[in-house]
Amino acid sequence: MKPFKFLVGLLLGALILILPLSQFQPDPLDSLKTLTVQLDGRKKPLDTVALETVEKLHGSARYKQADGETLNYLQTYLSMEANDRDWNQEPFILFSYPPLKEDVGIDPERKYFTFRELLTSESLARVINVAHRKQADDQDLTRNEREALTIEDRVTLLYRTVGTSSLPIVPHPDDAKGTWVTLPDAPKLYEAEQVAPLMAQFELLKQGYRISQEHLDAVGSMATELHNGLAALSPEVYPSDRIMEREVYYNGFHPFAKAWMLYGLAFIVMLGALWMKVLDNLGLYWTSLGLFVAGISIQTYGFFLRMQIAGRPPVTNMYESVVWVGLGVAAIALFFEFTSRAKYYLLAAAPLSVLCLVLADRLPAVLDPSISPLVPVLRDNFWLSIHVPTITLGYASFALAMGLGHVALGHYLFAPNATERIRNIAQFNYRVLQVGVLLLTTGIILGGIWAHFSWGRFWGWDPKETWALIALMCYLVPLHGRLVGWIGNFGISVTSVVSFNAVLMAWYGVNFELGTGLHSYGFGTGGSELIVGAFVGLDLLFVLVAAIRYKRWWPEWGTSENATIEPTLATESVSTSSESA
């Protein structure tokens, strides 16, 4: 019965993977999607160029027009290339940072602005000029200045995209690492009679899309001719269709979006199994486990695809680290779940993995998903492959511990007499915290060794290094306190929740709020400290309410039935000592 229920979960997961069936149907523009472009230091399909361009400009892969019609990223990009409307007046450019909008006198309630509005804003231009002068003098920028430079990049990107032929789609004649050129510059590399037909095909393609978007078969035929003609210029240099098709498939398959759906479904089924005994008797625990395994499998598959495309471990920017932490939370929980059949590991992990993947899927302007070449300090793949995954797996362990802490504190609030269950959850939590401390300590040491080879010193009190150490101390101290009996089950539950704020600062705060230090390759803009601050505040309020309930500081909560909700320190000390051994 158990294998059958597990298989049901896997089959339900497979059903989500194959839906909608339209993802497997041929597209008339497939030849256009796989047209190779050398951009941002690598060769990528036009489909990826369109996706990255639209997401950077608009913060979403879809653009809802004033008439209510929604365009996907390829339609939007081709519309810009064909210049089939007045893009000066389209409210298309994302501007989402309220403090900067207030500083430059722009409506803080609006999210999207036109090219003309931003280009003609004198106040915004002043902030940008100050930021450029500071950069020239090697000075640290304020948050407003960094956000202003991001807006400048978006305005420049739109200007370079609309109505131009600036894509380097013409391969170098004989050098695989040589610089590609645009079609207007192609005569510098090839004979005029070789490139003249291609230039004519390209113009016909743009005109054809402009006037016949509802009849794309003809456009697709022209795209195929252009694609074949460019490949024929230099067959040895031009990448194979298989390589480009793999990346187009990755863009369209959305493995991480499918994974969070599976995690969410697994959570709902597991919650039902825990909430209602009759559902548990039907074997829904194993169905939930099957769905969870399906989620991990598709997320791992997505990572494998991304590694093939990038040629490196996908853990070099904030987007990749968020997705990796989501996978780490799920994998660590699955390991403990298979060894203990506790149910609470999956219950705590699934919402966290969903949160990580939803953030990565829905916030491309904040968590940039584009695949870019590595900065020099990251090009040693040996250290990249062990330091970054190790330290972020430590973050994943602490995130799982935070989830278990919330489950435990929820019991203290709503089921304080379930002493055995609370004791078990605390023990589960303690094991995960031990794993997290081991991983984070290892990651910090490996980072120091890497820093020695890259920067000539093991430790330099860089903000990223400092906050990683602070996060480690926030867990080491209470773990030792638990070992000697100074804090009990409630204390370890509170610690797992509150201490995660130090991890959040090391992971998010240094990159998006401080924005200083040698780890500049991880910095970003567009993050909302108000949303993060509100989340932290509500979380701490939840801990405070649980503490009031536990300590019986509120009169009606001071009844004798709640007097004992955890074992004595002596008993607990013996238990935790055996755990540490």
Side-chain angles (χ1 to χ4, degrees), residues 21-278:
L21 294 176
S22 59
Q23 65 183 307
F24 302 106
Q25 297 174 355
D27 189 328
L29 297 180
D30 281 341
S31 293
L32 189 60
K33 290 179 180 180
T34 56
L35 193 70
T36 306
V37 183
Q38 188 191 64
L39 199 63
D40 300 326
R42 75 180 186 95
K43 299 178 184 71
K44 62 181 85 173
L46 181 64
D47 186 75
T48 297
V49 175
L51 177 61
E52 293 176 353
T53 301
V54 173
E55 286 185 336
K56 286 177 182 177
L57 287 170
H58 195 58
S60 171
R62 294 185 173 274
Y63 174 44
K64 187 174 183 179
Q65 304 175 104
D67 60 4
E69 182 183 359
T70 300
L71 304 180
N72 63 33
Y73 62 86
L74 185 61
Q75 292 170 325
T76 306
Y77 183 82
L78 293 177
S79 176
M80 288 189 288
E81 278 283 336
N83 198 15
D84 61 0
R85 68 189 69 191
D86 187 0
W87 282 97
N88 286 324
Q89 303 295 344
E90 288 283 325
F92 185 68
I93 300 177
L94 176 68
F95 191 166
S96 60
Y97 190 60
L100 178 59
K101 286 192 282 190
E102 294 175 1
D103 188 31
V104 300
I106 292 178
D107 184 2
E109 300 300 321
R110 287 178 59 191
K111 187 176 181 181
Y112 299 107
F113 295 83
T114 68
F115 176 86
R116 187 179 299 277
E117 285 175 317
L118 297 177
L119 190 66
T120 58
S121 173
E122 296 181 359
S123 300
L124 179 60
R126 280 196 295 270
V127 178
I128 292 172
N129 289 334
V130 170
H132 283 306
R133 285 197 296 270
K134 282 189 173 182
Q135 282 185 325
D137 296 334
D138 200 23
Q139 298 178 15
D140 291 335
L141 304 182
T142 65
R143 176 67 184 277
N144 272 8
E145 289 162 353
R146 288 190 284 124
E147 294 284 347
L149 291 179
T150 300
I151 300 301
E152 182 190 32
D153 290 340
R154 289 175 184 158
V155 171
T156 303
L157 180 59
L158 184 61
Y159 174 77
R160 291 176 176 173
T161 303
V162 173
T164 67
S165 302
S166 60
L167 287 178
I169 59 176
V170 180
H172 194 277
D174 49 34
D175 186 359
K177 296 183 179 180
T179 302
W180 291 27
V181 297
T182 63
L183 272 172
D185 291 333
K188 298 177 181 178
L189 299 179
Y190 298 94
E191 297 295 333
E193 57 268 19
Q194 289 180 281
V195 296
L198 300 177
M199 296 176 69
Q201 287 171 354
F202 185 70
E203 291 303 321
L204 285 173
L205 178 62
K206 291 203 298 184
Q207 293 175 17
Y209 182 80
R210 186 185 293 119
I211 63 178
S212 60
Q213 295 181 30
E214 296 179 358
H215 305 87
L216 295 179
D217 290 338
V219 178
S221 177
M222 288 185 284
T224 301
E225 291 183 19
L226 177 62
H227 189 193
N228 293 339
L230 289 168
L233 286 176
S234 182
E236 296 80 13
V237 172
Y238 207 84
S240 69
D241 290 344
R242 180 182 57 83
I243 295 175
M244 294 297 108
E245 287 167 357
R246 179 174 58 202
E247 189 163 349
V248 172
Y249 167 73
Y250 169 79
N251 293 337
F253 187 55
H254 303 296
F256 302 138
K258 288 180 168 62
W260 74 252
M261 295 176 191
L262 290 169
Y263 290 140
L265 189 57
F267 173 76
I268 293 171
V269 174
M270 177 61 77
L271 196 62
L274 285 170
W275 193 267
M276 301 176 65
K277 188 68 175 176
V278 62

Side-chain angles (χ1 to χ4, degrees), residues 22 33 56 66 176 186 200 235 335 434 483 526 530 534 540:
S22 59
K33 290 179 180 180
K56 286 177 182 177
F335 171 78
Q434 287 177 312
L483 185 63
L530 295 178
L540 293 178

